[in-house]
Amino acid sequence: MPEAILEIRDLKVSFRTFSGRVQAVDIQSLAVLPQEILGLVGETGSGKSVTASTVLRLLPERKAIVEGGPVLFKGQDLLAKTEAEMRKIRGREIAMIFQDPMSSLNPVFTVGEPLTRIIAIHQGVSLKEARERALAALGRVRLPNPDKILGSYPHELSGGMRQRVMIGMALSSNPDLLFADEPTTALDVTIQAQILRLIDDLRHEIKASIVFITHNLGVIAKVSDRVAVMYAGNVIEVGPTRDIFHRPAHPYTGLLLKAIPRLGETRDKLPVIEGAVPVIRRPETGCYFHPRCPRRDDACREARPVLAPIGPGHYAACGKPA
Ligand SMILES: Nc1ncnc2c1ncn2[C@@H]1O[C@H](COP(=O)(O)OP(=O)(O)O)[C@@H](O)[C@H]1O
Ligand SMILES: [Mg+2]
């Protein structure tokens, strides 16, 4: 296996809340390989966004408790970096795009202002040169009339166009790693397909690794090279996309596959999987999934399974894999 660009080991993240400490992430291991698209999938509340925020060190400092690690990015532990060091990495070497581009674009400024400013700061060029690069960035995400778009206000653009602007902005610094957190969830199905096609197209140009976060396994079937499935904060199965879809080893992955909405159907919740979201309750002992698992037996109540090899590059944390 090629050396990972990002490698997470034994990472635990919890939050101090009024009702006590809530565990959000408990990952034994997760790697992102160079120039791959990794789909990070799981129900709402399974810890996907917290994982990305931990890597980028964007968690609320007083509320979040990060334990374990390391979180190695190109061999260096991000958990050991100072805020000043992180500021150099964030937005340059590691970029992030979010579900709702409206919330990241300030409605009182034209699209061009933050875009040009960020490029000028991150790439150390004049505003004039930054504007040229902004135009190029918009062209790269296949936006027609980049000049006109730079002068538009966010509300004048469609949701799909705004997301293209955000992708262009995120890629303008040529990052090595891009987190895309539910980037198509707020878009309708047709636009969603266009954005996925764009990401698939761009991967050959940008040479970045992309972690594509989604609660819908169906969304990443076509674009991802590998899929990592999260449950209750842990990665419980990871493998080549083909194997995850055709030979899921963990019962939870099997249920996620059954829950993929059919074309044209929109669902917020996964219908077949019952239980509490967004706070996923964990049993005291055994496999976190055993209370909801159709395949459980007594052993599943006792020991917590660790990721074990199922096939080439395919791992599952289950005592009774398929
Ligand atoms: N700022 C926070 N304070 C308290 N709990 C949080 C906070 N952010 C996330 N959580 C909890 O962490 C868990 C994982 O959340 P998240 O990573 O956002 O899930 P996902 O992105 O998979 O939907 C959830 O149970 C959520 O309630
Ligand atoms: Mg999320």
Side-chain angles (χ1 to χ4, degrees), residues 14-264:
S14 50
F15 291 95
R16 296 184 182 94
T17 71
F18 291 115
S19 45
R21 218 163 125 162
V22 176
Q23 179 104 38
V25 167
D26 184 357
I27 292 179
Q28 297 163 5
S29 85
L30 178 66
V32 182
L33 306 178
Q35 297 183 37
E36 76 166 341
I37 299 187
L38 175 72
L40 187 59
V41 186
E43 285 163 281
T44 303
S46 59
K48 307 178 299 292
S49 297
V50 171
T51 301
S53 298
T54 308
V55 172
L56 282 148
R57 295 266 310 273
L58 289 171
L59 293 169
E61 222 167 81
R62 266 184 240 146
K63 276 186 77 179
I65 305 157
V66 179
E67 291 161 314
V71 173
L72 298 173
F73 173 64
K74 297 200 273 191
Q76 295 190 26
D77 189 4
L78 294 177
L79 299 182
K81 298 264 176 218
T82 63
E83 178 53 27
E85 288 168 330
M86 279 313 296
R87 241 176 276 136
K88 290 196 183 120
I89 293 172
R90 241 183 257 131
R92 297 176 207 211
E93 295 181 67
I94 309 177
M96 184 150 178
I97 49 179
F98 301 93
Q99 175 175 339
D100 178 15
M102 203 57 182
S103 63
S104 330
L105 289 167
N106 192 327
V108 305
F109 293 122
T110 61
V111 165
E113 292 183 56
L115 187 51
T116 338
R117 199 162 9 93
I118 285 171
I119 292 175
I121 294 170
H122 281 181
Q123 300 177 31
V125 294
S126 69
L127 280 175
K128 188 159 171 285
E129 173 60 24
R131 193 184 152 79
E132 289 306 314
R133 293 189 186 190
L135 289 172
L138 296 183
R140 200 182 194 189
V141 291
R142 326 285 194 253
L143 279 166
N145 297 326
D147 234 332
K148 187 166 167 231
I149 289 183
L150 281 190
S152 304
Y153 288 90
H155 72 266
E156 295 174 318
L157 304 178
S158 68
M161 288 165 97
R162 285 197 292 266
Q163 196 55 286
R164 277 173 201 261
V165 170
M166 296 312 296
I167 295 170
M169 196 186 295
L171 295 179
S172 62
S173 64
N174 294 315
D176 297 310
L177 177 61
L178 173 70
F179 283 96
D181 193 352
E182 309 258 7
T184 64
T185 301
L187 304 173
D188 74 50
V189 178
T190 321
I191 308 296
Q192 180 170 306
Q194 290 170 7
I195 296 286
L196 287 168
R197 213 170 309 133
L198 172 71
I199 289 176
D200 201 17
D201 272 5
L202 287 172
R203 60 184 306 179
H204 304 294
E205 293 170 30
I206 59 176
K207 300 193 166 62
S209 305
I210 301 174
V211 179
F212 194 109
I213 296 175
T214 176
H215 65 278
N216 182 352
L217 192 46
V219 166
I220 44 136
K222 284 211 187 75
V223 294
S224 65
D225 300 300
R226 293 193 309 137
V227 172
V229 181
M230 287 190 80
Y231 182 78
N234 190 17
V235 173
I236 52 97
E237 181 161 4
V238 61
T241 304
R242 209 178 328 107
D243 293 343
I244 297 292
F245 276 81
H246 297 298
R247 283 181 290 280
H250 198 290
Y252 178 67
T253 311
L255 290 176
L256 269 185
L257 282 166
K258 283 197 195 135
I260 293 176
R262 283 169 215 283
L263 194 67

